[in-house]
């Protein structure tokens, strides 16, 4: 069974204090790894897709990287508006033309001014 | 608004009633997914649909739950005879298809179901 583990569960940073969130996974036949941001009371907002080990993607203060067993979401000089829950999900082929996403429980990031 | 739309945003039902949740996918998207999110838990896949077809319902409870995506109109997630354990946030997502880059799922704002 696919497993996605995110750590830490919660992270509190001061504004400008860079850090990284981790997503480790066990999946047979990874077809992609997704990062989402979720604000309280809202739906997940798509951030990145990574398809192969070694791939990196950047968006403003966020950079996502992927290895064969884990992904990191690096946050450089965060601001209070970066506070949210960050979700990681793995995509695998589950037969025919069907692909399935499995989510981790997320990391709750709080950035204090 | 070109995003995924869900309604209602909040739904309150008494035990034994029916709940109907609606989802309109993004323009140009023909694949719809439903997920359930409980407090302190991750998003759990329920069902994947294309127009007039259920592709994968492996995450959906066998009883009381059903889903459809008709040729015309929104996708519907239906929960019959609701129980307190059905209280959760239900999210709909849509994608252009399946396959490289087409798998990117975009989520709606969710429907928060409360069962009294």
């Amino acid at each position: 069974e696919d497993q996605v583990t995110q750590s830490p569960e919660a992270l509190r940073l001061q504004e400008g204090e860079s850090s990284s969130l981790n997503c480790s996974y066990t999946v047979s036949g990874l077809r992609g790894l997704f990062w989402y941001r979720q604000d309280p009371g809202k739906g997940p907002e798509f951030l990145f897709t990574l398809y192969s080990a070694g791939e990196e993607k950047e968006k403003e203060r966020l950079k996502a990287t992927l290895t064969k067993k884990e992904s990191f979401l690096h946050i450089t000089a965060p601001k209070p508006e970066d506070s949210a829950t960050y979700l990681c999900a793995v995509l695998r082929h589950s037969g025919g033309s069907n692909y399935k996403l499995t989510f981790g429980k997320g990391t709750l990031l709080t950035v204090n001014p | 608004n070109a995003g995924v739309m869900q309604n209602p945003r909040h739904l309150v039902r008494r035990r034994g009633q029916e709940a109907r949740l609606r989802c309109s996918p993004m323009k140009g998207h023909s694949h719809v997914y439903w997920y359930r999110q409980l407090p302190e838990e991750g998003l759990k896949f329920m069902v994947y649909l294309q127009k007039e077809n259920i592709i994968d319902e492996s995450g959906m409870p066998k009883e009381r739950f059903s889903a459809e995506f008709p040729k015309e109109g929104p996708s519907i997630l239906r929960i019959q005879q609701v129980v307190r354990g059905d209280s959760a946030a239900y999210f709909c997502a849509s994608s252009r298809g399946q396959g490289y880059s087409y798998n990117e799922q975009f989520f709606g704002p969710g429907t928060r179901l409360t069962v009294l």
Side-chain angles (χ1 to χ4, degrees), chain B residues 6 16 22 28 34 40 44 46 50-51 56 62 66 72-73 76 79 89 94-95 106 108:
Chain B
Q6 291 188 248
R22 294 174 185 79
W34 286 94
E40 309 304 321
K44 300 293 186 187
M46 298 181 73
Q50 296 178 28
K51 285 284 187 183
D56 181 353
K62 294 284 188 287
S66 62
E72 301 290 338
I76 306 284
I79 311 173
S94 71
S95 71
F106 295 86

Side-chain angles (χ1 to χ4, degrees), chain A residues 4 6 9 38 44 85 87 103-107, chain B residues 35-45 85 87-89 91:
Chain A
V4 181
Q6 292 189 245
E9 291 184 10
Q38 187 174 23
T85 297
L87 301 173
F103 280 83
K105 293 185 179 181
T107 293
Chain B
Y35 293 83
R36 179 163 63 178
Q37 188 174 44
L38 292 165
E40 309 304 321
E41 293 191 19
L43 283 158
K44 300 293 186 187
F45 168 79
S87 296
F91 291 96

Side-chain angles (χ1 to χ4, degrees), chain A residues 18-38:
Chain A
S18 302
S19 188
S20 296
L21 312 182
N22 177 262
C23 172
S24 62
Y25 61 88
T26 304
V27 61
S28 56
L30 180 75
R31 293 291 187 268
L33 186 139
F34 294 70
W35 282 98
Y36 289 85
R37 169 194 170 126
Q38 187 174 23

Side-chain angles (χ1 to χ4, degrees), chain B residues 75-96:
Chain B
S75 175
I76 306 284
L77 179 67
R78 182 182 178 205
I79 311 173
Q80 295 178 289
Q81 299 173 347
V82 296
V83 301
R84 288 214 174 111
D86 297 331
S87 296
Y90 292 83
F91 291 96
C92 169
S94 71
S95 71
R96 281 192 292 169

Side-chain angles (χ1 to χ4, degrees), chain B residues 28-75:
Chain B
H29 287 193
S30 58
H31 297 238
V32 166
Y33 313 80
W34 286 94
Y35 293 83
R36 179 163 63 178
Q37 188 174 44
L38 292 165
E40 309 304 321
E41 293 191 19
L43 283 158
K44 300 293 186 187
F45 168 79
M46 298 181 73
V47 61
Y48 160 39
L49 309 105
Q50 296 178 28
K51 285 284 187 183
E52 300 185 280
N53 283 306
I54 296 174
I55 307 302
D56 181 353
E57 56 183 347
S58 59
M60 202 152 68
K62 294 284 188 287
E63 298 179 355
R64 301 188 299 107
F65 286 73
S66 62
E68 63 177 8
F69 189 15
K71 188 176 180 181
E72 301 290 338
S75 175

